[in-house]
Amino acid sequence: MASIVQFENVGLRYGHGPETLSDLSFTLREGTFHFLLGASGAGKTSLLRLLYLAQRPSRGVIRLFGEDMVLSPRERLPGFRRRIGVVFQDFRLVPHLSARDNIALPLRVAGMPEEELAGPVAEMLAWVGLTDRADARPPTLSGGEQQRVAIARAVITRPEILVADEPTGNVDPIMAERLLKLFASLNRLGTTVVMATHDHHLLHRVPDALVMELDGGRLLDPRAAA
Amino acid sequence: MIGRAAVQPLLDDRQGRRAMVWIMAIMIFLTTLSAALGLSTQGAGRALDRQLAARLTVQVIEGDAARRDAVTAALLGRLRASADVARANEVDRARLAELLEPWLGEAGLDADLPMPAMIDVDLRSGDDATVARVEALAKAAGNGIRVDRHATWLAPVRAFVAALGWTALGLVLVMASATGAVVLLVARAGLDTHRGTIDILHMLGSTDLQIARLFQRRIGQDTLTGGLIGALAGALLVALLGQRMASLDSQLADGVSLQPLDWLVIALLPVAFTLLAMFAARVAVLRRLARVL
Ligand SMILES: Nc1ncnc2c1ncn2[C@@H]1O[C@H](COP(=O)(O)OP(=O)(O)OP(=O)(O)O)[C@@H](O)[C@H]1O
Ligand SMILES: [Mg+2]
């Protein structure tokens, strides 16, 4: 299996402060499933931001899809972003769009014709159990419902990489397992998944999953989840 | 490309849009009025120049009425024979008396009162050489002949019209730059309102141009709507004032009218501001996005 993500001696510094992330070197192979663990403030979101191209590292090399992201010109980044699905820790839904339109957004950005949107969007709504709330706007949804909209939006394009920042933080355990199943089935279809979580119960729910653990901005030795 | 259907809800903030439309309508209304004032004053100045430059008044000042009439008749003949003169006519004495009545009272109507004869002369050309030739020709006809160039004694009027023209031009520039500034401000404010949406679209893989186009189109639509309302209202008011002016029936008022070209300029104002607004929105969005990765 080819490697789809490669970090070499990556460091990240916000402003002039100390390094938030240091000496990150790891490789993710295509189609693998990774949990990212670490205490609050350990740098999980920071690492994921590098991964979904919201941020360039202060040093080191990041290669995605076999291409150097640090040297890639800015104009090429949108093309790479479309191949990465993201569940943001703070959801980032468009507040004046319905759940349905939020979920459809990545397809529209990618230029899918309007008449082809309805099917996939309805399917995703059903998957996350929000068919009844399709026309509701995010501010009128509960935290867990918003999170599910965010997840549906991240996976609707069948991205090559799925980056999820504590995607089950706001849902009950049953919904959490259901969402994890969604990720696992996407993973079986070939998507490489990186999921930050505090929920250790979920680790053994995904066979063959790997664990990366951050501690003070450095990676501990990789290990298997189970 | 983000589909059209997505565009409407994506940047939905109807309240803000309506405000934008009305602000643009008012700004462009005022710009239209100052432009109309500037253009028409310019037209008036040009008309005045045309009329004044080639026009003289010749006075025959002679106490004896019979001699005066003889000199006047001879002079008229000479003037009409000259190749430089388009038209020469004696000002009707009854009309002259009428004009003088407020100053002279009933006596002005007395044919025996020593009143100068006046001849209005239209020249074929207003250049100095022609004027000088005709002046010499007139003066050769006898003593007591005075030649006045209209341009000379209407110079204060001409200067006033010119000053008015410059003021109007300044006003147009001030209004246009104020409108331009408002357009820029609104474009930036729109960007601020939608900062969150922009960032989300950006993270979902929208290109800078896709996002810029969304804003450009929306701000363009609003500016054009407001601009058309403002320009239409302004043009109606200008046309109405023009009609009033025409009914004044004065030679000066004849010049104060808008030519087809002037109307074209006014019609192009909303289009010009729409393009400016779209450009401003585009630059604002691209600049903002260039700051993030
Ligand atoms: N934009 C920023 N500017 C400056 N410092 C930041 C910024 N974002 C994060 N940090 C700092 O970097 C460190 C790591 O933050 P990060 O959000 O990556 O942690 P995390 O592991 O995701 O935590 P949590 O589990 O609470 O979400 C923290 O000390 C945080 O204060
Ligand atoms: Mg975090």
Side-chain angles (χ1 to χ4, degrees):
Chain A
M1 274 186 293
S3 73
I4 192 165
V5 176
Q6 241 181 309
F7 277 47
E8 281 172 29
N9 289 312
V10 169
L12 175 66
R13 185 191 297 279
Y14 291 111
H16 298 291
E19 276 201 327
T20 297
L21 298 174
S22 299
D23 304 326
L24 298 184
S25 294
F26 63 88
T27 299
L28 307 184
R29 280 168 306 140
E30 235 174 280
T32 48
F33 196 115
H34 301 265
F35 286 108
L36 180 60
L37 304 181
S40 180
K44 300 184 294 300
T45 299
S46 301
L47 192 161
L48 296 184
R49 278 170 56 81
L50 292 174
L51 201 49
Y52 59 71
L53 303 177
Q55 182 106 41
R56 287 204 206 257
S58 317
R59 61 185 174 92
V61 176
I62 296 178
R63 235 175 254 124
L64 296 187
F65 315 110
E67 300 207 43
D68 190 330
M69 289 301 118
V70 180
L71 297 181
S72 262
R74 223 184 135 265
E75 306 84 75
R76 290 199 63 202
L77 298 184
F80 292 124
R81 289 194 183 105
R82 291 180 194 186
R83 299 162 71 179
I84 305 170
V86 187
V87 184
F88 301 95
Q89 192 167 11
D90 51 358
F91 314 147
R92 304 230 195 139
L93 302 175
V94 181
H96 51 258
L97 291 188
S98 66
R100 189 200 310 277
D101 282 330
N102 265 289
I103 293 171
L105 209 48
L107 297 179
R108 287 185 164 134
V109 166
M112 183 182 271
E114 287 298 312
E115 60 275 12
E116 291 174 28
L117 291 176
V121 173
E123 194 188 334
M124 277 325 304
L125 279 164
W127 246 109
V128 296
L130 286 175
T131 304
D132 296 343
R133 305 288 280 143
D135 294 313
R137 281 154 204 265
T140 68
L141 294 173
S142 76
E145 286 170 334
Q146 291 181 41
Q147 192 151 44
R148 278 136 70 193
V149 174
I151 289 169
R153 186 182 67 184
V155 302
I156 193 163
T157 54
R158 300 248 163 110
E160 289 164 64
I161 301 176
L162 175 68
V163 178
D165 200 347
E166 299 188 35
T168 57
N170 289 274
V171 297
D172 61 72
I174 296 172
M175 182 50 79
E177 276 191 38
R178 188 180 153 78
L179 292 175
L180 196 64
K181 263 192 208 142
L182 171 63
F183 291 164
S185 55
L186 206 65
N187 176 240
R188 275 196 298 280
L189 291 172
T191 296
T192 306
V193 179
V194 181
M195 173 175 158
T197 185
H198 287 295
D199 193 347
H200 291 255
H201 297 292
L202 294 177
L203 301 192
H204 58 273
R205 295 284 180 183
V206 184
D208 304 326
L210 299 165
V211 168
M212 298 195 289
E213 187 160 0
L214 273 171
D215 185 16
R218 289 171 189 275
L219 269 183
L220 304 179
D221 286 338
R223 59 185 160 96
Chain B
M1 202 39 235
I2 302 175
R4 232 158 232 288
V7 169
Q8 294 316 321
L10 194 52
L11 300 174
D12 175 82
D13 53 344
R14 295 201 180 90
Q15 212 53 44
R17 293 193 71 168
R18 215 177 301 147
M20 159 94 181
V21 168
W22 284 115
I23 291 170
M24 289 324 302
I26 291 165
M27 294 304 288
I28 290 177
F29 173 71
L30 295 174
T31 308
T32 302
L33 290 190
S34 46
L37 180 63
L39 291 169
S40 61
T41 321
Q42 240 190 359
R46 277 196 307 270
L48 208 55
D49 283 341
R50 269 198 309 278
Q51 290 172 8
L52 297 183
R55 198 174 267 193
L56 303 174
T57 299
V58 179
Q59 293 184 61
V60 181
I61 304 161
E62 169 61 64
D64 180 52
R67 206 166 336 143
R68 179 195 64 203
D69 290 346
V71 170
T72 305
L75 188 51
L76 263 178
R78 280 176 169 222
L79 285 171
R80 283 180 181 151
S82 163
D84 291 326
V85 175
R87 203 169 47 230
N89 285 313
E90 187 178 356
V91 179
D92 181 33
R93 298 192 63 77
R95 167 97 179 114
L96 205 56
E98 209 176 290
L99 286 171
L100 291 173
E101 197 192 325
W103 286 276
L104 302 179
E106 287 295 315
L109 297 171
D110 184 349
D112 289 336
L113 197 84
M115 209 164 39
M118 293 179 98
I119 300 171
D120 268 343
V121 183
D122 284 340
L123 304 179
R124 287 198 199 282
S125 141
D127 63 63
D128 289 337
T130 310
V131 173
R133 274 201 303 277
V134 174
E135 203 172 336
L137 180 76
K139 289 212 164 137
N143 294 328
I145 289 179
R146 234 179 87 182
V147 179
D148 287 314
R149 295 179 72 166
H150 283 212
T152 312
W153 53 270
L154 273 178
V157 175
R158 179 65 186 96
F160 173 70
V161 170
L164 205 62
W166 286 112
T167 307
L169 183 70
L171 211 60
V172 174
L173 291 181
V174 169
M175 282 313 303
S177 45
T179 306
V182 167
V183 164
L184 297 184
L185 221 65
V186 168
R188 295 245 184 83
L191 189 65
D192 277 341
T193 312
H194 298 290
R195 183 151 297 190
T197 308
I198 289 177
D199 289 345
I200 292 167
L201 286 171
H202 184 66
M203 282 323 303
L204 293 180
S206 293
T207 61
D208 294 359
L209 284 181
Q210 268 182 326
I211 298 173
R213 252 186 250 125
L214 276 179
F215 280 82
Q216 212 174 300
R217 186 155 60 208
R218 190 195 67 129
I219 286 177
Q221 280 168 356
D222 292 354
T223 310
L224 192 62
T225 310
L228 288 177
I229 294 172
L232 205 66
L236 275 176
L237 185 57
V238 169
L240 219 72
L241 287 175
Q243 269 186 348
R244 278 286 151 107
M245 189 75 111
S247 69
L248 289 180
D249 192 28
S250 112
Q251 281 198 339
L252 183 58
D254 281 350
V256 189
S257 64
L258 291 172
Q259 305 306 306
L261 197 66
D262 299 339
W263 284 109
L264 184 68
V265 169
I266 288 176
L268 285 179
L269 280 178
V271 179
F273 281 116
T274 299
L275 292 178
L276 174 67
M278 290 175 73
F279 179 73
R282 184 187 188 86
V283 169
V285 171
L286 292 182
R287 264 218 214 119
R288 155 128 184 94
L289 289 174
R291 260 185 275 132
V292 294
L293 184 59

